[in-house]
């Protein structure tokens, strides 16, 4: 099976930038879709961004459009989330996920998950 491992989280000032990485190991992703989700304390896990492994299709939550960018490096089996202009409301545990189909925004439809990486944005 596929294993996912996030990294790159940390503490950053509002307005700053951070790049999260999700390294995939195991079987090839092929036509898999990759997604980033986040879960703030006391809230449900929510969709942030998604990308088809080919990179042909990109999706972003309205709250992060224009600030976050998702991309893949197929040679490194890694998906990235570049986060710019961070706001305190972006504070959450960020998870990467994968599914063997098209990008969707519902967390329960993803098959593989990483452990998550904490992102904290200070005022």
């Amino acid at each position: 099976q596929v294993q996912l491992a996030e990294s790159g989280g940390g503490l950053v000032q509002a307005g700053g930038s951070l790049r999260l990485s999700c390294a995939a190991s195991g079987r090839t992703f092929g036509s898999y879709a990759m997604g980033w989700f986040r879960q703030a304390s006391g809230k449900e896990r929510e969709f942030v961004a998604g990308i088809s492994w080919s990179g042909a299709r990109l999706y972003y939550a309205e709250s992060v459009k224009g600030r976050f960018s998702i991309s893949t490096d197929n040679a490194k089996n890694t998906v990235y989330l570049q986060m710019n202009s961070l706001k305190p409301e972006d504070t959450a545990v960020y998870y990467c996920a994968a599914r063997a189909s098209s990008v969707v925004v519902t967390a329960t439809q993803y098959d593989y998950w990483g452990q998550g990486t904490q992102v904290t944005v200070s005022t």
Side-chain angles (χ1 to χ4, degrees):
Q1 292 189 3
V2 175
Q3 292 81 234
L4 304 174
E6 305 94 334
S7 62
L11 176 64
V12 64
Q13 292 274 330
S17 298
L18 210 57
R19 187 176 75 162
L20 306 183
S21 299
C22 176
S25 60
R27 301 302 179 187
T28 180
F29 275 64
S31 61
Y32 281 31
M34 303 295 299
W36 283 98
F37 292 77
R38 66 187 182 187
Q39 187 164 19
S41 180
K43 296 186 177 181
E44 290 188 338
R45 188 166 46 185
E46 67 173 343
F47 174 80
V48 176
I51 187 170
S52 60
W53 195 247
S54 68
R57 298 181 178 182
L58 302 172
Y59 301 88
Y60 296 98
E62 187 67 29
S63 60
V64 305
K65 283 183 178 178
R67 300 189 298 121
F68 291 10
S69 297
I70 188 171
S71 62
T72 60
D73 184 334
N74 291 3
K76 295 177 183 282
N77 291 320
T78 300
V79 61
Y80 302 96
L81 184 68
Q82 178 66 47
M83 304 185 293
N84 299 322
S85 302
L86 283 162
K87 304 175 180 179
E89 50 263 46
D90 295 319
T91 296
V93 176
Y94 283 71
Y95 300 89
C96 63
R99 68 190 301 266
S101 189
S102 59
V103 175
V104 297
V105 301
T106 305
T108 55
Q109 295 187 25
Y110 283 76
D111 304 304
Y112 306 100
W113 291 88
Q115 293 292 327
T117 185
Q118 176 69 49
V119 171
T120 302
V121 184
S122 63
T123 57

